[in-house]
């Protein structure tokens, strides 16, 4: 008998652990590995099905008693910035993002470490070493890029890159139907820039310029202060039992 290798991924389930978003809840995740030539195609299908990527693993919540995590994607072509978002864009007009291959640098890690220590000292990533960071960036089998944001310089119009201090970094996957923001971080002491919002706005602009309809933001949890910012970027779709459905317009 001839045996043909299966193309179907194998899925695994994690043990319960305390939920980082809802007190008193326990989370479980279903996950699979993204490896080989089919990884980009599989990442597209799984992301469209509510999965997120971390290194070469795609995962999604599989909690027994809670369905609080909702996958969110922005409809980039229909997006119109609010007055506050326009102010954010103006405040960051001096920044430019340069796209690089998924290769870690010591400068990136230094900013990553500063960001974690200031914003997520007690989070699950707080003890990541430089090697952990390197794996987060380069352990990918899909089309992943690092976007580095710096201030514009006199040669930016030629080089497409900024100069000086590294202000922000985004780790981003390009898929067939959009951009997926895997992880981003930035200098924590320039709160007036609203850099987290700016990075999302910049990705919306990049998706539109590339003819991609969506920007995937990961999960939103109603009532979670950590996730509240995501709902402001509309129009957007949420993944539910009937598939992707348009969510009510946010208040500007």
């Amino acid at each position: 008998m001839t045996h043909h290798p299966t193309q179907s991924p194998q899925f695994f389930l994690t043990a319960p652990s305390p939920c980082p978003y809802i007190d008193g809840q326990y989370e479980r995740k279903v996950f699979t590995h993204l490896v080989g030539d089919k990884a980009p195609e599989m990442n597209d299908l799984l992301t469209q099905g509510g999965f997120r990527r971390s290194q070469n693993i795609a995962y999604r919540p599989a909690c027994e008693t809670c369905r609080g995590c909702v996958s969110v994607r922005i409809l980039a072509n229909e997006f119109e910035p609010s007055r506050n978002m326009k102010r954010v864009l103006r405040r960051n007009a001096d920044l430019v993002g340069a796209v690089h291959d998924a290769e870690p640098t010591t400068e990136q890690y230094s900013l990553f470490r500063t960001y974690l220590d200031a914003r997520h000292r007690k989070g699950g990533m707080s003890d990541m070493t430089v090697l952990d960071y390197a794996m987060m960036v380069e352990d990918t089998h899909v089309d992943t890029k690092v976007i580095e944001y710096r201030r514009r310089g006199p040669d930016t119009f030629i080089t497409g890159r900024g100069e000086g201090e590294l202000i922000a970094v985004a780790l981003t996957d390009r898929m067939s139907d959009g951009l997926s923001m895997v992880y981003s971080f930035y200098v924590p002491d320039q709160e007036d820039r609203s850099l987290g919002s700016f990075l999302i706005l910049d990705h919306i602009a990049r998706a539109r310029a590339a003819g991609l309809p969506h920007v995937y933001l990961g999960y939103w949890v109603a009532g979670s202060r950590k996730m509240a910012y995501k709902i402001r970027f509309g129009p957007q779709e949420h993944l539910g039992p009937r598939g992707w459905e348009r969510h009510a317009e946010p208040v500007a």
Side-chain angles (χ1 to χ4, degrees):
M1 177 182 292
T2 301
H3 293 275
H4 298 283
T6 178
Q7 297 296 315
S8 300
Q10 290 184 300
F11 290 89
F12 307 90
L13 190 64
T14 65
S17 61
C19 176
Y21 303 114
I22 302 176
D23 291 340
Q25 291 284 356
Y26 283 82
E27 67 170 359
R28 302 189 76 178
K29 295 174 182 172
V30 59
F31 69 94
T32 189
H33 292 88
L34 293 169
V35 294
D37 295 339
K38 295 293 184 180
E41 177 184 349
M42 186 60 61
N43 187 49
D44 279 16
L45 292 173
L46 291 176
T47 301
Q48 292 160 7
F51 280 71
R52 292 289 286 166
R53 185 185 71 81
S54 177
Q55 298 178 211
N56 66 1
I57 290 176
Y59 68 91
R60 68 168 298 171
C63 306
E64 297 175 358
T65 61
C66 178
R67 296 294 181 269
C69 291
V70 178
S71 294
V72 173
R73 67 185 186 188
I74 301 168
L75 299 174
N77 292 330
E78 298 181 46
F79 174 78
E80 292 291 340
S82 66
R83 285 176 294 179
N84 180 64
M85 292 174 186
K86 291 178 180 178
R87 287 194 291 269
V88 171
L89 289 170
R90 287 194 296 268
R91 286 197 294 267
N92 292 283
D94 62 328
L95 299 184
V96 59
V99 179
H100 302 270
D101 291 336
E103 297 176 353
T105 67
T106 54
E107 186 183 24
Q108 291 169 16
Y109 179 71
S110 178
L111 178 58
F112 175 72
R113 189 71 263 162
T114 299
Y115 173 79
L116 289 182
D117 290 344
R119 297 292 184 92
H120 302 287
R121 184 178 295 274
K122 297 182 180 180
M125 303 172 73
S126 61
D127 60 350
M128 285 181 63
T129 67
V130 65
L131 293 178
D132 295 327
Y133 174 77
M135 289 296 291
M136 182 178 80
V137 173
E138 65 187 7
D139 189 6
T140 175
H141 295 259
V142 303
D143 187 4
T144 303
K145 299 296 183 183
V146 172
I147 308 175
E148 294 186 347
Y149 295 83
R150 304 176 193 270
R151 289 183 176 85
R152 296 180 184 274
D155 297 328
T156 293
F157 73 100
I158 298 175
T159 65
R161 300 182 180 184
E163 296 180 353
E165 176 191 7
L166 184 61
I167 303 295
V169 174
L171 185 64
T172 303
D173 289 346
R174 175 164 176 158
M175 307 187 310
S176 61
D177 72 328
L179 300 178
S180 178
M181 298 185 69
V182 177
Y183 195 76
S184 59
F185 51 95
Y186 43 84
V187 291
D189 59 352
Q190 298 187 26
E191 294 184 1
D192 59 318
R193 284 187 177 272
S194 300
L195 285 167
S197 294
F198 169 70
L199 294 180
I200 295 175
L201 293 169
D202 185 67
H203 276 69
I204 295 171
R206 290 174 184 273
R208 293 174 73 160
L212 300 172
H214 304 122
V215 174
Y216 288 84
L217 294 183
Y219 301 117
W220 169 72
V221 179
S224 171
R225 294 181 61 185
K226 295 179 181 179
M227 299 288 194
Y229 70 94
K230 295 185 179 182
I231 207 68
R232 300 199 305 266
F233 297 86
Q236 58 184 229
E237 292 179 329
H238 292 187
L239 184 60
R242 294 181 293 183
W244 290 98
E245 295 183 312
R246 194 181 186 97
H247 185 69
E249 296 293 319
V251 177

